Amino acid sequence: MHEVFRPSAESDDAYDAFKGIGCAPITSLLNKWSVFRIIFLRSLLSPPPLARKNPQLHPLHILTVPEIAGILCLAASVIYLLGFFGVGIVQSFISRGSQDSWDVEEDNNVMIKKNGGGCAAEPCSGAAASLACTIAPVSMEKVVTPRIQETLLSGDDEEIIEGVVSGTIPSYSLESKLGDCKRAATVRREALQRITGRSVEGLPLEGFDYESILGQCCEMPVGYVQIPVGIAGPLLLDGKNYSVPMATTEGCLVASTNRGCKAIYASGGASSVLLRDGMTRAPVVRFGTAKRAAELKFFVEDPANFDTLSVVFNRSSRFGKLQNIKCAIAGKNLYMRFSCSTGDAMGMNMVSKGVQNVLDYLQTDFPDMEIIGISGNFCSDKKPAAVNWIEGRGKSVVCEAIVKEEVVQNVLKTNVATLVELNMLKNLTGSAMAGALGGFNAHASNIVTAVYLATGQDPAQSVESSQCITMMEAVNGGKDLHISVTMPSIEVGTVGGGTQLASQSACLNLLGVKGASKDSPGSNSRLLATIIAGSVLAGELSLMSAIAAGQLVKSHMKYNRSSKDVSKIASQN
């Protein structure tokens, strides 16, 4: 439980204030308020008789006992008054030096102290908690706060909820102010329901570690969404079996991918090749003329300057190593696309820090360079872009398999010639007619997104990571099927972001790629990329076979439709 003390005009509070600062001997004397008032007034209004007769003589030895008592009461009263009105002031000066440890925000300053002191018992972790651990006071039993802070924790959760609803307490500050991530989510959730007038019943709150997302995964949580995880496999890839976790709410997806894995396994497995591995970031800078922009382009692309720029770039991380810089000009604006290795991290933050180092360095020789943005969309992140399709971003992988004729017939329920023709007319010609950009496939995004959600990747990056071209060809005299997927921009990591959450970490562990590789930095993320490509290969093979056999609608009607009466469920809510 949190203890918060605030000064008031009550005698018990004044007594506690003195006790809290070590003045117990004085407070025992000051407990008789009426006596103090009488003697204090008497000592002020009735000076000693000797003073009335001769004001210049005040020898202590001729004072009477009542007069001495009056003087002592006067001194005690002054001490009491100073203590009563001075504790809050003194404490405010003491607490001023440690405001950062309490995450002071605007005018809603609140200082919270856990019983027993120390940060070891703080429920929240992360940057805010680490800062609090450095300078938060630990020796006092109670913490005195200014009156302006009374609103946050002067009552139970109901008072705090009312503060959030009225706007006096910012919702985003609840974690730092309460010091309890779960409690903050509970308060915010109830406030949300009152503000909107709508229930969030059905959105789970219990059973989640809210500390694990503080400062890194999600802000202002009110619960979590449940997504079922299915397993496709075994996927036999490069001589090893993998059970692929897929988080999805689309019926048939896991079953279809599993069927593709079965066909690949029965045909001897698939093989993969990693073509490239480099994350990109492309800042945009501006000059007064196009000529000056071109001069910087020639400078950074000159091989003679690469070593110098690499040293500057590589300062940011021991894993981030500059690979190349490619530039594009639009008038007097220059876009510099930096590519670097990032170990087992997806690497966006890593490459951004390196780019900032280089920009700072370049401004010495190009002082007229104006930095418009650290990202100029020539990277290109979370958008379908030709530069990713051609140059690659993240991991570029090609995966292939030869599926035997009998497997095509018995497992996939179709034939090689039909599959080859369908692939040409659908994935190649049809996509070209639609003006597709890297979308020459049946449903690569389905598999990529499902694996991304299960393993803690950034789901928004499935946009470019799903760029894929699926090729099919009859081989071995037309009997067997050669199928391949080429994916130039799979952006994944096995450390950082959502990969550290318990559920996602478990799925990475299932694949054998949890965390960073100590023996070969970057090998875990590269392996994950090839597993994703192999899973896409299985998904493409199965879906194309279902379409060729005319089974798509039938299977979706069977496995992708709820048997529950949705109208009744909706009316109950």
Side-chain angles (χ1 to χ4, degrees):
M1 295 294 293
H2 297 87
E3 290 188 25
V4 176
F5 177 78
R6 55 185 184 276
S8 69
E10 298 295 332
S11 60
D12 291 340
D13 289 340
Y15 177 84
D16 289 343
F18 275 98
K19 184 177 179 181
I21 61 174
C23 298
I26 297 177
T27 56
S28 63
L29 178 65
L30 299 181
N31 213 16
K32 306 294 185 179
W33 303 108
S34 59
V35 176
F36 284 147
R37 291 191 185 100
I38 294 172
I39 299 178
F40 174 60
L41 291 175
R42 192 265 182 209
S43 66
L44 292 178
L45 299 176
S46 302
L50 184 60
R52 289 195 293 269
K53 294 177 181 179
N54 188 353
Q56 295 181 351
L57 298 176
H58 298 283
L60 184 60
H61 65 277
I62 66 174
L63 293 178
T64 64
V65 174
E67 290 171 342
I68 293 174
I71 293 173
L72 291 177
C73 289
L74 174 62
S77 300
V78 172
I79 293 174
Y80 163 72
L81 292 174
L82 288 176
F84 180 78
F85 293 106
V87 170
I89 297 174
V90 172
Q91 182 61 35
S92 67
F93 282 105
I94 295 174
S95 62
R96 186 173 299 171
S98 62
Q99 281 182 346
D100 289 343
S101 66
W102 303 104
D103 194 16
V104 177
E105 297 190 28
E106 302 173 352
D107 293 330
N108 297 314
N109 304 338
V110 176
M111 293 178 287
I112 305 171
K113 183 71 182 65
K114 299 286 285 185
N115 284 342
C119 287
E122 287 292 337
C124 291
S125 60
S130 298
L131 182 59
C133 287
T134 60
I135 54 179
V138 296
S139 60
M140 299 194 326
E141 292 180 349
K142 295 187 178 181
V143 177
V144 182
T145 65
R147 287 183 181 275
I148 194 171
Q149 301 170 352
E150 290 179 8
T151 55
L152 186 56
L153 288 178
S154 58
D156 57 7
D157 286 352
E158 182 62 31
E159 184 178 355
I160 305 172
I161 293 170
E162 292 176 359
V164 176
V165 173
S166 64
T168 58
I169 301 175
S171 177
Y172 63 80
S173 67
L174 289 175
E175 279 78 7
S176 60
K177 298 297 178 59
L178 296 177
D180 186 330
C181 298
K182 168 66 182 311
R183 184 183 176 199
T186 304
V187 169
R188 183 181 296 112
R189 178 190 181 98
E190 179 59 29
L192 174 67
Q193 294 183 117
R194 297 185 188 182
I195 292 172
T196 62
R198 295 185 178 276
S199 172
V200 292
E201 183 181 0
L203 180 67
L205 176 68
E206 302 294 334
F208 188 81
D209 182 9
Y210 292 94
E211 300 173 29
S212 65
I213 64 173
L214 181 65
Q216 54 187 344
C217 289
C218 181
E219 300 78 35
M220 296 187 285
V222 295
Y224 60 97
V225 173
Q226 296 172 309
I227 303 179
V229 176
I231 299 297
L235 171 65
L236 180 55
L237 177 67
D238 298 324
K240 296 182 179 180
N241 288 322
Y242 300 96
S243 296
V244 183
M246 302 175 66
T248 181
T249 56
E250 180 182 350
C252 288
L253 179 58
V254 177
S256 179
T257 307
N258 188 70
R259 184 176 75 149
C261 290
K262 179 181 179 181
I264 293 172
Y265 186 93
S267 300
S271 60
S272 65
V273 179
L274 184 78
L275 304 175
R276 282 185 295 257
D277 181 9
M279 182 49 63
T280 63
R281 174 61 84 198
V284 53
V285 300
R286 181 169 60 196
F287 288 88
T289 64
K291 181 178 179 181
R292 282 291 288 165
E295 289 175 1
L296 179 56
K297 169 181 162 55
F298 297 146
F299 178 85
V300 298
E301 290 184 339
D302 188 346
N305 298 322
F306 180 78
D307 289 342
T308 301
L309 296 178
S310 294
V311 171
V312 175
F313 183 98
N314 297 344
R315 292 175 189 163
S316 60
S317 172
R318 60 194 179 102
F319 296 111
K321 304 300 179 184
L322 183 64
Q323 296 172 337
N324 59 71
I325 308 174
K326 295 185 178 181
C327 301
I329 285 183
K332 57 183 182 178
N333 304 298
L334 177 64
Y335 299 81
M336 298 177 284
R337 192 172 190 259
F338 291 74
S339 178
C340 81
S341 60
T342 59
D344 282 308
M346 184 269 289
M348 286 293 296
N349 292 332
M350 195 181 300
V351 66
S352 295
K353 290 189 293 183
V355 168
Q356 188 63 57
N357 289 344
V358 174
L359 292 177
D360 294 341
Y361 172 81
L362 290 175
Q363 282 201 306
T364 303
D365 293 328
F366 296 87
D368 54 335
M369 179 182 72
E370 179 184 2
I371 301 174
I372 304 300
I374 190 71
S375 175
N377 272 8
F378 188 51
C379 311
S380 175
D381 187 44
K382 300 180 176 70
K383 293 166 283 292
V387 67
N388 293 338
W389 178 240
I390 298 170
E391 298 290 342
R393 188 171 195 256
K395 278 71 173 171
S396 300
V397 181
V398 59
C399 188
E400 64 180 345
I402 296 179
V403 184
K404 297 178 180 179
E405 180 183 27
E406 56 270 24
V407 174
V408 173
Q409 295 174 350
N410 298 329
V411 177
L412 302 176
K413 310 301 181 182
T414 185
N415 60 77
V416 172
T418 301
L419 278 174
V420 171
E421 182 181 30
L422 176 64
N423 185 72
M424 181 186 67
L425 294 178
K426 171 182 167 60
N427 289 341
L428 303 182
T429 308
S431 296
M433 293 294 292
L437 183 58
F440 299 91
N441 57 81
H443 70 148
S445 180
N446 254 339
I447 292 86
V448 171
T449 304
V451 178
Y452 270 31
L453 290 173
T455 59
Q457 311 304 313
D458 187 342
Q461 289 185 320
S462 65
V463 173
E464 63 266 38
S465 297
S466 298
Q467 289 185 321
C468 168
I469 183 168
T470 300
M471 303 291 292
M472 293 186 185
E473 180 182 350
V475 294
N476 297 330
K479 295 191 303 179
D480 301 331
L481 175 72
H482 179 276
I483 179 173
S484 67
V485 292
T486 304
M487 307 179 69
S489 51
I490 301 178
E491 299 164 356
V492 292
T494 57
V495 295
T499 64
Q500 54 84 35
L501 298 177
S503 300
Q504 289 81 344
S505 179
C507 290
L508 288 171
N509 187 59
L510 178 65
L511 293 172
V513 295
K514 177 183 176 181
S517 172
K518 297 181 180 179
D519 298 330
S520 178
S523 61
N524 280 354
S525 61
R526 289 191 289 268
L527 176 57
L528 178 59
T530 60
I531 293 173
I532 291 173
S535 302
V536 169
L537 183 74
E540 290 287 281
L541 178 61
S542 183
L543 176 58
M544 291 294 289
S545 298
I547 296 175
Q551 298 173 339
L552 180 64
V553 175
K554 181 180 179 181
S555 61
H556 273 261
M557 292 297 294
K558 181 178 180 180
Y559 296 108
N560 199 25
R561 293 180 66 86
S562 175
S563 60
K564 296 181 180 179
D565 190 336
V566 180
S567 61
K568 290 183 179 180
I569 297 175
S571 63
Q572 291 175 358
N573 294 333

